Amino acid sequence: MATTTHQKYYVPHDSAWPIVGALALLLIGYGAATWISQLDQPEARSGPWVFGAGFALLVVTLFGWFGKVIDESQRGLYSAQLERSFRQCMSWFIFSEVMFFLAFFGALFYARVVAVPWLDGAGDNAMTAAILWPNFEAAWPLLQTPGGTATQAMPWTGIPLLNTLILLASSVTLQVAHVAIEQGKRLRLKLFLSITVLLGVVFLFLQGYEYMHAYRDLGLRLDSGVYGNTFYLLTGFHGLHVTIGALILLVMLLRIVIKDHFTAQRHFGFQAAAWYWHFVDVVWLNLFVFVYVL
Amino acid sequence: MSTQVTGTLDAHGAAGRPRDHDHKPRGLARWLFSTNHKDIGTLYLLFSLAMLFTGGSLAMVIRAELFQPGLQFVDPHFFNQMTTVHGLVMVFGAVMPAFVGLANWMIPLMIGAPDMALPRINNWSFWILPCAFAILLSTLFMEGGAPAAGWTFYAPLSTKYSGDSTAFFVLAVHLMGVSSIMGAINVIVTIWNMRAPGMGWMKLPLFVWTWLITAFLLIAVMPVLAGVVTMVLTDKYFGTSFFDAAGGGDPVMFQHIFWFFGHPEVYIMILPAFGIVSTIIPTFARKPLFGYESMVIATASIAFLSFIVWGHHMFTTGMPVVAELFFMYATMLIAVPTGVKVFNWVATMWRGSMTFEVPMMFSLAFIVLFTIGGFSGLMLAIIPADFQYQDTYFVVAHFHYVLVTGAVFGIIAAVYYWIPKWTGVMYDERLAQVHFWCSLVSVNMLFFPMHFVGLAGMPRRIPDYALQFADLNAFMSIGGFLFGLSQLLFLWGVVRCMRGIGDKATDRVWEGAQGLEWEVPSPAPYHTFDTPPVVK
């Protein structure tokens, strides 16, 4: 808008991808709901199939849709104003993700600060505790629930610490790649972006190993009371985001290596992927402090 | 002083002249694959209208059952499904999509943008909604029935004691959330990035301002709703105990997280209506809006306060007294910016040369009746009083005054106000006036006595009641049926305009109308503001 000659804002023609994508989400939603509500009926199999079909359709949609966007971008249809729209949309999307994690962090804080102490009689709950849960003692991590389920705590040393260092390192390598793309140093870009993706994969591998260790050796399970609940939902959703982030970065890497996309000036796709990765990293730091260390 | 938009177009930007590429795609494809903000806005509005009648039918079942004490037509479990699905359909299917539809239609026109910022995402946001409601409404036909825990689905009603429809409900809410978040991001970026040159922040029409703030609220709290339904899902199916004391959790925690979403949500459903009324009142008072800046600041203050008052929904469920007091005072603070708005609307009309076309009538009714809902809200904010009102029909009266005579009246006012611009046809004023008066009388028959039965102790969400409430309940049910029937007049009026029956609308439509949307022809061309207008 600052320039006197206005470059037209590109308004795309009709597209089938949105409604195909909506259909994909319908199948995913209906399939997942059927699947979950029939978990106790092993003979019922329709849920996973519908879910799988929806997921496949979503993947097709994403390829088709992003392919079209990349094509339009390559043809130079996107003005600086449209690029700003993309940037702002991505920022707000990340903000919505922050709020999603906040719900689970909120549950964690509420459980630690309010729910568990109250069950042991904090505040004016002495009689409730004495009558309902006389043998319960408040502690965090909650190793013995009021109902009697026992578990062990996940220490922050070892794999969690290692994973923290891995994710921090991956943010650094991604930043190096980012600087490289802006300076046009393609070889360095490819190298450091590859390292970033690799670090993400190693993180996920270690996280999976940690889950197995928790289930097998510590008895820390998804149903081990509110400590296990918050532990698995927070780290689980984070792990899901790392998976998505690593896939996005992998796609960026393939675009750079195979198609030679992005220039020093125009690389919003890469930048958005980088923002997302840094966001996932910041979530982990909070997780590490509040779920593992404290 | 006029900071209201007085958009003047330079010759270059002569808005919306039909262009060679102004072709509309034909047939069904136009609607399925649309990237046009006007078509998508129409889809949203029609979907909302369909949901209004769907949710309304469920309300008719409720009022039929409550016509007499005792159990008449439905069993209690089905009654609970009716109240639950009625609430969900009206909140997420009728009110919110109607506002998104209005935003789609009007915001690009009002700020001089060629379309929404990301048109394809816009279409995706819309088409997810029918999918979500297909899932939700399918539960009505499932074995075990639809969700019955109330639209607030408190744990453990929604976890331990709920049926197999819970998973479908949760996934449907997830889809609604995805749709809302993407829609809100689109709105916020459109406003932020696509205003025409010269359209400064303090020149934005108030409808745009209120929607900007609404969109922020949506992006902030819909993910929290997604989080809490996820916890409901894992509690029910995967053995977690977020809301189960035996595992160290707490059912009250559900309420905290839910209402952290839920309270901003009620402002999501009313702020755009504030914007609509702030647009309509000046038009028919033929005066600029009084106190434009204070309206903007009041809207922002309400949005801020909405994040720190959620506890007033749970005064009786267990909280330290200090926390209750904090929530009480914070809640009462909201009366200040809301009062600013009401006084500003009244001051706008002061010594205006007023006429009383139907958009104005609905707006005037909005001011009076929404204020009644606001006052009963203030009563509910007082902790000791709330101990008595909690879960009675007084609460039902309160939120129906703010949501029906508030939000829905605002939406209807907006439809009458802008439908000449959408269709190019003037609605039938006499039919609309009949619709208004029928609605006004019946809605008060329906909801006003709820204050009295509520204060006398009639509990909500119960299909039976004590004999002393019989007369008033019969009266309310008659009001309810009449209100439902009155909306058929609305439907008729809208269909007439859509089919082109009626007088041709002028471009400006209303004598006192201000703003860019009135600079384009009626009906608004398929593409407008390809080149941004210059606002002086």
Side-chain angles (χ1 to χ4, degrees):
Chain A
M1 278 191 295
T3 50
T4 43
T5 50
H6 174 77
Q7 195 188 352
K8 245 179 84 164
Y9 195 89
Y10 176 69
V11 177
H13 281 291
D14 289 20
S15 170
W17 291 119
I19 196 163
V20 175
L23 187 66
L25 290 185
L26 172 67
L27 294 175
I28 288 175
Y30 201 83
T34 313
W35 191 357
I36 291 167
S37 64
Q38 292 178 341
L39 278 177
D40 51 351
Q41 304 160 33
E43 72 284 357
R45 294 259 176 74
S46 61
W49 283 105
V50 178
F51 177 83
F55 192 77
L57 193 58
L58 184 67
V59 171
V60 171
T61 307
L62 291 178
F63 267 91
W65 193 334
F66 277 114
K68 187 121 178 64
V69 171
I70 292 165
D71 176 55
E72 288 167 355
S73 172
Q74 299 283 327
R75 284 193 284 143
L77 293 173
Y78 292 175
S79 61
Q81 193 187 6
L82 188 65
E83 295 259 321
R84 267 203 307 280
S85 285
F86 282 145
R87 261 163 242 277
Q88 294 181 359
C89 282
M90 190 63 197
S91 315
W92 284 109
F93 170 65
I94 289 177
F95 173 63
S96 79
E97 292 270 40
V98 170
M99 294 307 292
F100 180 74
F101 276 99
L102 202 68
F104 292 97
F105 275 107
L108 172 69
F109 295 144
Y110 187 90
R112 286 182 66 157
V113 179
V114 179
V116 170
W118 279 10
L119 289 168
D120 191 22
D124 53 5
N125 299 288
M127 287 314 292
T128 319
I131 292 164
L132 288 179
W133 316 107
N135 300 319
F136 175 66
E137 274 182 51
W140 195 270
L142 181 68
L143 302 182
Q144 178 97 34
T145 67
T149 313
T151 181
Q152 292 177 50
M154 174 64 71
W156 62 271
T157 48
I159 289 178
L161 183 63
L162 185 59
N163 260 348
T164 308
L165 296 176
I166 287 172
L167 270 196
L168 281 176
S170 77
S171 256
V172 174
T173 55
L174 186 59
Q175 184 57 28
V176 174
H178 202 151
V179 173
I181 203 172
E182 283 171 348
Q183 296 176 344
K185 294 176 178 162
R186 307 292 283 189
L187 189 64
R188 181 184 291 187
L189 165 65
K190 289 171 196 168
L191 180 67
F192 277 88
L193 189 52
S194 309
I195 295 174
T196 310
V197 175
L198 205 64
L199 287 171
V201 173
V202 172
F203 172 91
L204 285 170
F205 178 78
L206 288 176
Q207 186 76 10
Y209 181 81
E210 184 194 74
Y211 277 5
M212 290 204 300
H213 167 64
Y215 260 76
R216 257 195 234 137
D217 309 329
L218 300 180
L220 177 60
R221 301 156 51 91
L222 179 59
D223 54 7
S224 308
V226 79
Y227 172 62
N229 305 158
T230 49
F231 175 81
Y232 280 107
L233 268 105
L234 277 163
T235 57
F237 274 117
H238 176 263
L240 184 68
H241 282 74
V242 175
T243 311
I244 295 168
L247 282 172
I248 298 174
L249 287 179
L250 182 65
V251 170
M252 296 303 147
L253 182 63
L254 293 176
R255 284 178 65 187
I256 290 165
V257 173
I258 299 172
K259 301 246 175 168
D260 204 27
H261 283 168
F262 302 127
T263 65
Q265 289 77 35
R266 290 171 63 98
H267 48 263
F268 171 69
F270 174 85
Q271 198 175 17
W275 286 353
Y276 193 79
W277 191 258
H278 292 312
F279 149 72
V280 169
D281 197 13
V282 171
V283 172
W284 175 264
L285 287 180
N286 282 288
L287 268 176
F288 183 63
V289 172
F290 293 112
V291 177
Y292 290 96
V293 178
L294 294 180
Chain B
M1 81 132 251
S2 164
T3 38
Q4 263 302 71
V5 173
T6 46
T8 3
L9 299 180
D10 63 351
H12 177 57
R17 201 181 307 112
R19 304 270 294 266
D20 51 331
H21 67 286
D22 197 43
H23 72 282
K24 293 176 195 164
R26 299 197 170 275
L28 196 60
R30 170 179 172 190
W31 303 102
L32 297 184
F33 307 143
S34 182
T35 49
N36 181 287
H37 72 102
K38 301 184 184 81
D39 279 356
I40 296 171
T42 305
L43 287 170
Y44 264 112
L45 287 166
L46 290 177
F47 175 77
S48 157
L49 193 61
M51 286 298 118
L52 182 74
F53 282 100
T54 308
S57 324
L58 306 178
M60 294 302 106
V61 176
I62 296 170
R63 279 324 314 175
E65 177 55 48
L66 292 174
F67 192 83
Q68 282 188 325
L71 296 180
Q72 266 71 239
F73 303 107
V74 297
D75 71 87
H77 181 60
F78 190 74
F79 184 87
N80 287 342
Q81 295 173 36
M82 290 296 104
T83 55
T84 304
V85 182
H86 165 74
L88 291 168
V89 165
M90 287 306 199
V91 168
F92 295 105
V95 173
M96 287 167 67
F99 284 134
V100 183
L102 292 169
N104 256 293
W105 249 105
M106 300 319 301
I107 288 176
L109 284 180
M110 286 177 154
I111 63 173
D115 205 295
M116 297 291 279
L118 298 178
R120 279 176 293 222
I121 293 274
N122 197 20
N123 194 29
W124 202 20
S125 307
F126 170 74
W127 280 108
I128 291 170
L129 263 189
C131 296
F133 278 87
I135 295 177
L136 179 67
L137 294 174
S138 75
T139 60
L140 280 168
F141 307 99
M142 279 174 56
E143 205 180 327
W151 88 273
T152 53
F153 56 101
Y154 276 12
L157 292 176
S158 56
T159 52
K160 273 210 172 106
Y161 304 110
S162 65
D164 275 341
S165 58
T166 311
F168 292 86
F169 157 76
V170 168
L171 269 295
V173 170
H174 272 308
L175 292 194
M176 292 168 205
V178 170
S179 162
S180 283
I181 291 168
M182 289 199 300
I185 290 177
N186 228 330
V187 167
I188 223 169
V189 174
T190 304
I191 298 172
W192 211 279
N193 190 34
M194 301 189 58
R195 283 168 288 132
M199 178 65 80
W201 284 110
M202 281 299 154
K203 282 186 183 173
L204 280 185
L206 258 175
F207 180 68
V208 180
W209 255 117
T210 51
W211 239 114
L212 179 74
I213 291 165
T214 303
F216 169 75
L217 291 180
L218 275 168
I219 302 172
V221 300
M222 290 308 282
V224 177
L225 175 68
V228 78
V229 291
T230 304
M231 289 181 229
V232 165
L233 190 75
T234 59
D235 262 20
K236 174 148 182 77
Y237 295 100
F238 297 100
T240 64
S241 41
F242 286 105
F243 311 130
D244 181 1
D250 187 348
V252 177
M253 178 163 86
F254 171 89
Q255 299 179 25
H256 280 290
I257 306 175
F258 177 82
W259 286 115
F260 183 82
F261 146 79
H263 201 79
E265 169 70 16
V266 306
Y267 292 100
I268 286 164
M269 292 189 283
I270 201 65
L271 291 183
F274 287 169
I276 290 163
V277 172
S278 305
T279 311
I280 292 177
I281 298 278
T283 297
F284 295 98
R286 291 165 181 77
K287 274 178 63 192
L289 184 71
F290 183 87
Y292 172 90
E293 289 89 348
S294 65
M295 284 298 214
V296 173
I297 294 166
T299 311
S301 317
I302 292 173
F304 167 74
L305 288 172
S306 76
F307 283 105
I308 54 166
V309 296
W310 77 86
H312 67 218
H313 294 270
M314 21 189 312
F315 282 151
T316 63
T317 45
M319 226 190 304
V321 174
V322 181
E324 295 204 336
L325 287 173
F326 169 78
F327 285 122
M328 175 170 88
Y329 290 126
T331 304
M332 289 178 159
L333 267 185
I334 295 183
V336 177
T338 314
V340 166
K341 282 182 170 291
V342 173
F343 284 121
N344 278 347
W345 290 324
V346 174
T348 304
M349 291 184 281
W350 177 253
R351 295 194 168 170
S353 46
M354 300 214 286
T355 50
F356 298 93
E357 289 88 342
V358 117
M360 183 63 162
M361 296 304 281
F362 272 103
S363 300
L364 291 174
F366 173 98
I367 296 175
V368 176
L369 299 177
F370 172 80
T371 304
I372 291 179
F375 280 143
S376 57
L378 208 50
M379 292 168 72
L380 285 159
I382 302 165
I383 298 164
D386 181 78
F387 282 12
Q388 164 141 353
Y389 307 151
Q390 167 82 23
D391 263 346
T392 69
Y393 261 82
F394 190 80
V395 180
V396 180
H398 158 69
F399 68 73
H400 281 94
Y401 264 87
V402 289
L403 286 179
V404 179
T405 59
V408 174
F409 271 29
I411 292 163
I412 294 174
V415 169
Y416 281 126
Y417 185 62
W418 282 310
I419 206 169
K421 180 57 66 188
W422 302 338
T423 63
V425 174
M426 207 60 197
Y427 62 85
D428 182 336
E429 180 70 31
R430 187 182 308 179
L431 174 68
Q433 290 284 351
V434 173
H435 168 228
F436 169 74
W437 285 107
C438 288
S439 298
L440 183 73
V441 172
S442 58
V443 85
N444 283 293
M445 286 172 67
L446 168 60
F447 294 125
F448 204 75
M450 286 184 186
H451 292 113
F452 306 132
V453 294
L455 288 174
M458 177 172 162
R460 64 190 286 215
R461 290 177 170 149
I462 308 283
D464 191 5
Y465 49 82
L467 289 179
Q468 69 265 31
F469 304 129
D471 291 348
L472 279 176
N473 267 286
F475 184 76
M476 289 188 275
S477 285
I478 293 168
F481 301 141
L482 289 178
F483 186 66
L485 289 174
S486 306
Q487 303 324 304
L488 296 176
L489 299 174
F490 179 56
L491 184 64
W492 187 19
V494 169
V495 169
R496 277 174 58 99
C497 286
M498 289 179 68
R499 303 197 52 167
I501 306 167
D503 300 337
K504 179 145 178 35
T506 60
D507 290 355
R508 187 152 289 272
V509 182
W510 310 109
E511 186 192 32
Q514 299 279 319
L516 278 179
E517 75 261 41
W518 309 108
E519 310 283 339
V520 304
S522 299
Y526 198 58
H527 293 288
T528 36
F529 301 129
D530 272 350
T531 312
V534 175
V535 182
K536 297 204 175 91

